[in-house]
Short mmCIF file of all heavy atoms in Angstrom, two decimals:
data_model
loop_
_atom_site.label_atom_id
_atom_site.label_comp_id
_atom_site.label_asym_id
_atom_site.label_seq_id
_atom_site.Cartn_x
_atom_site.Cartn_y
_atom_site.Cartn_z
N GLN Q 24 22.91 -10.85 -5.78
CA GLN Q 24 21.91 -10.28 -4.89
C GLN Q 24 22.60 -9.36 -3.89
O GLN Q 24 23.77 -9.58 -3.54
CB GLN Q 24 21.19 -11.39 -4.11
CG GLN Q 24 20.48 -12.40 -4.99
CD GLN Q 24 19.29 -11.79 -5.71
OE1 GLN Q 24 18.50 -11.05 -5.13
NE2 GLN Q 24 19.16 -12.08 -7.00
N LYS Q 25 21.88 -8.35 -3.43
CA LYS Q 25 22.44 -7.48 -2.37
C LYS Q 25 22.04 -8.10 -1.03
O LYS Q 25 20.85 -8.24 -0.74
CB LYS Q 25 21.86 -6.07 -2.51
CG LYS Q 25 22.41 -5.14 -1.47
CD LYS Q 25 22.73 -3.77 -2.05
CE LYS Q 25 23.64 -3.02 -1.11
NZ LYS Q 25 23.95 -1.69 -1.52
N VAL Q 26 23.04 -8.50 -0.25
CA VAL Q 26 22.75 -9.22 1.00
C VAL Q 26 23.35 -8.48 2.19
O VAL Q 26 24.55 -8.20 2.23
CB VAL Q 26 23.30 -10.67 0.95
CG1 VAL Q 26 22.80 -11.46 2.16
CG2 VAL Q 26 22.90 -11.39 -0.34
N PHE Q 27 22.48 -8.17 3.17
CA PHE Q 27 22.89 -7.55 4.43
C PHE Q 27 22.94 -8.67 5.47
O PHE Q 27 21.94 -9.37 5.67
CB PHE Q 27 21.86 -6.48 4.86
CG PHE Q 27 21.74 -5.35 3.88
CD1 PHE Q 27 20.95 -5.47 2.74
CD2 PHE Q 27 22.45 -4.16 4.08
CE1 PHE Q 27 20.85 -4.43 1.83
CE2 PHE Q 27 22.36 -3.11 3.18
CZ PHE Q 27 21.55 -3.25 2.05
N GLY Q 28 24.09 -8.85 6.12
CA GLY Q 28 24.23 -10.01 6.99
C GLY Q 28 24.56 -9.67 8.42
O GLY Q 28 25.19 -8.65 8.71
N PHE Q 29 24.13 -10.58 9.32
CA PHE Q 29 24.54 -10.46 10.72
C PHE Q 29 24.76 -11.84 11.31
O PHE Q 29 24.03 -12.79 11.01
CB PHE Q 29 23.49 -9.71 11.56
CG PHE Q 29 23.89 -9.67 13.02
CD1 PHE Q 29 24.96 -8.87 13.43
CD2 PHE Q 29 23.27 -10.48 13.95
CE1 PHE Q 29 25.38 -8.88 14.77
CE2 PHE Q 29 23.69 -10.49 15.29
CZ PHE Q 29 24.73 -9.68 15.68
N ASP Q 30 25.78 -11.94 12.15
CA ASP Q 30 26.06 -13.14 12.93
C ASP Q 30 26.77 -12.68 14.20
O ASP Q 30 27.40 -11.61 14.21
CB ASP Q 30 26.96 -14.11 12.14
CG ASP Q 30 26.98 -15.51 12.75
OD1 ASP Q 30 27.55 -15.67 13.86
OD2 ASP Q 30 26.43 -16.44 12.14
N LEU Q 31 26.69 -13.49 15.25
CA LEU Q 31 27.40 -13.14 16.49
C LEU Q 31 28.90 -13.39 16.35
O LEU Q 31 29.70 -12.86 17.12
CB LEU Q 31 26.85 -13.97 17.66
CG LEU Q 31 25.38 -13.75 18.04
CD1 LEU Q 31 24.96 -14.73 19.12
CD2 LEU Q 31 25.17 -12.31 18.49
N SER Q 32 29.28 -14.21 15.37
CA SER Q 32 30.68 -14.59 15.23
C SER Q 32 31.44 -13.65 14.29
O SER Q 32 31.08 -13.54 13.10
CB SER Q 32 30.75 -16.04 14.71
OG SER Q 32 31.89 -16.22 13.90
N PRO Q 33 32.48 -12.99 14.78
CA PRO Q 33 33.26 -12.10 13.92
C PRO Q 33 33.86 -12.83 12.73
O PRO Q 33 33.94 -12.28 11.63
CB PRO Q 33 34.36 -11.56 14.85
CG PRO Q 33 33.87 -11.80 16.25
CD PRO Q 33 32.96 -12.99 16.18
N LYS Q 34 34.26 -14.10 12.93
CA LYS Q 34 34.87 -14.87 11.84
C LYS Q 34 33.86 -15.09 10.70
O LYS Q 34 34.19 -14.95 9.51
CB LYS Q 34 35.36 -16.22 12.38
CG LYS Q 34 36.29 -16.93 11.44
CD LYS Q 34 36.87 -18.18 12.07
CE LYS Q 34 37.24 -19.14 10.97
NZ LYS Q 34 36.94 -20.52 11.29
N ALA Q 35 32.63 -15.41 11.09
CA ALA Q 35 31.58 -15.62 10.08
C ALA Q 35 31.34 -14.32 9.30
O ALA Q 35 31.18 -14.35 8.07
CB ALA Q 35 30.29 -16.08 10.75
N LEU Q 36 31.39 -13.20 10.00
CA LEU Q 36 31.16 -11.90 9.34
C LEU Q 36 32.30 -11.55 8.39
O LEU Q 36 32.09 -11.01 7.31
CB LEU Q 36 30.98 -10.80 10.39
CG LEU Q 36 29.65 -10.84 11.15
CD1 LEU Q 36 29.61 -9.78 12.23
CD2 LEU Q 36 28.46 -10.67 10.20
N GLU Q 37 33.52 -11.89 8.83
CA GLU Q 37 34.70 -11.64 7.97
C GLU Q 37 34.56 -12.37 6.64
O GLU Q 37 34.79 -11.81 5.57
CB GLU Q 37 35.95 -12.19 8.66
CG GLU Q 37 36.87 -11.13 9.23
CD GLU Q 37 37.94 -11.80 10.07
OE1 GLU Q 37 38.62 -12.73 9.58
OE2 GLU Q 37 38.07 -11.39 11.24
N GLN Q 38 34.19 -13.67 6.74
CA GLN Q 38 34.05 -14.47 5.51
C GLN Q 38 32.94 -13.92 4.62
O GLN Q 38 33.07 -13.87 3.40
CB GLN Q 38 33.76 -15.93 5.86
CG GLN Q 38 35.02 -16.64 6.35
CD GLN Q 38 34.73 -18.01 6.94
OE1 GLN Q 38 33.58 -18.40 7.12
NE2 GLN Q 38 35.79 -18.74 7.26
N PHE Q 39 31.86 -13.48 5.26
CA PHE Q 39 30.72 -12.93 4.52
C PHE Q 39 31.15 -11.64 3.80
O PHE Q 39 30.83 -11.44 2.62
CB PHE Q 39 29.59 -12.66 5.53
CG PHE Q 39 28.38 -11.98 4.99
CD1 PHE Q 39 27.56 -12.61 4.05
CD2 PHE Q 39 28.04 -10.69 5.41
CE1 PHE Q 39 26.43 -11.97 3.56
CE2 PHE Q 39 26.90 -10.06 4.92
CZ PHE Q 39 26.10 -10.70 3.99
N ALA Q 40 31.90 -10.80 4.51
CA ALA Q 40 32.36 -9.53 3.91
C ALA Q 40 33.29 -9.81 2.73
O ALA Q 40 33.22 -9.15 1.68
CB ALA Q 40 33.06 -8.68 4.96
N ALA Q 41 34.17 -10.83 2.89
CA ALA Q 41 35.12 -11.15 1.83
C ALA Q 41 34.41 -11.62 0.56
O ALA Q 41 34.94 -11.51 -0.54
CB ALA Q 41 36.09 -12.24 2.32
N SER Q 42 33.19 -12.15 0.72
CA SER Q 42 32.42 -12.60 -0.46
C SER Q 42 31.55 -11.50 -1.04
O SER Q 42 30.77 -11.75 -1.96
CB SER Q 42 31.51 -13.77 -0.09
OG SER Q 42 32.22 -14.74 0.60
N GLY Q 43 31.63 -10.30 -0.44
CA GLY Q 43 30.87 -9.18 -1.01
C GLY Q 43 29.60 -8.83 -0.27
O GLY Q 43 28.81 -7.99 -0.72
N GLY Q 44 29.38 -9.45 0.91
CA GLY Q 44 28.19 -9.13 1.70
C GLY Q 44 28.35 -7.84 2.48
O GLY Q 44 29.47 -7.41 2.77
N VAL Q 45 27.22 -7.21 2.81
CA VAL Q 45 27.25 -5.99 3.62
C VAL Q 45 27.05 -6.38 5.08
O VAL Q 45 26.00 -6.91 5.46
CB VAL Q 45 26.10 -5.02 3.20
CG1 VAL Q 45 26.17 -3.73 4.01
CG2 VAL Q 45 26.15 -4.75 1.70
N VAL Q 46 28.08 -6.14 5.89
CA VAL Q 46 28.03 -6.55 7.29
C VAL Q 46 27.24 -5.53 8.11
O VAL Q 46 27.46 -4.32 8.00
CB VAL Q 46 29.48 -6.68 7.86
CG1 VAL Q 46 29.46 -6.86 9.37
CG2 VAL Q 46 30.19 -7.86 7.19
N CYS Q 47 26.32 -6.03 8.94
CA CYS Q 47 25.52 -5.15 9.82
C CYS Q 47 25.84 -5.49 11.27
O CYS Q 47 26.34 -6.57 11.56
CB CYS Q 47 24.04 -5.37 9.56
SG CYS Q 47 23.58 -4.98 7.86
N ASP Q 48 25.53 -4.53 12.17
CA ASP Q 48 25.96 -4.77 13.55
C ASP Q 48 24.84 -5.31 14.46
O ASP Q 48 25.04 -5.44 15.67
CB ASP Q 48 26.63 -3.52 14.15
CG ASP Q 48 25.70 -2.33 14.15
OD1 ASP Q 48 24.50 -2.52 13.85
OD2 ASP Q 48 26.17 -1.22 14.46
N SER Q 49 23.70 -5.63 13.89
CA SER Q 49 22.63 -6.27 14.68
C SER Q 49 21.62 -6.89 13.70
O SER Q 49 21.57 -6.49 12.53
CB SER Q 49 21.92 -5.24 15.55
OG SER Q 49 21.18 -4.36 14.73
N PRO Q 50 20.77 -7.82 14.20
CA PRO Q 50 19.72 -8.35 13.32
C PRO Q 50 18.80 -7.24 12.82
O PRO Q 50 18.41 -7.22 11.65
CB PRO Q 50 18.98 -9.33 14.22
CG PRO Q 50 19.96 -9.74 15.25
CD PRO Q 50 20.83 -8.54 15.49
N GLN Q 51 18.49 -6.29 13.70
CA GLN Q 51 17.59 -5.21 13.29
C GLN Q 51 18.21 -4.36 12.19
O GLN Q 51 17.53 -3.97 11.24
CB GLN Q 51 17.24 -4.31 14.49
CG GLN Q 51 16.26 -4.96 15.44
CD GLN Q 51 15.70 -3.98 16.46
OE1 GLN Q 51 16.29 -2.93 16.70
NE2 GLN Q 51 14.59 -4.34 17.08
N ALA Q 52 19.52 -4.08 12.30
CA ALA Q 52 20.18 -3.26 11.28
C ALA Q 52 20.13 -3.96 9.92
O ALA Q 52 19.96 -3.31 8.89
CB ALA Q 52 21.63 -2.99 11.68
N ALA Q 53 20.27 -5.30 9.95
CA ALA Q 53 20.21 -6.05 8.68
C ALA Q 53 18.79 -6.07 8.12
O ALA Q 53 18.58 -5.98 6.92
CB ALA Q 53 20.71 -7.49 8.90
N ALA Q 54 17.82 -6.18 9.04
CA ALA Q 54 16.43 -6.41 8.59
C ALA Q 54 15.70 -5.14 8.18
O ALA Q 54 14.77 -5.21 7.38
CB ALA Q 54 15.65 -7.10 9.71
#
Side-chain angles (χ1 to χ4, degrees):
Q24 301 292 316
K25 181 139 197 183
V26 189
F27 298 82
F29 177 71
D30 195 291
L31 296 175
S32 148
K34 194 174 154 220
L36 288 176
E37 253 171 52
Q38 284 170 353
F39 175 66
S42 311
V45 182
V46 170
C47 299
D48 59 9
S49 69
Q51 285 192 340

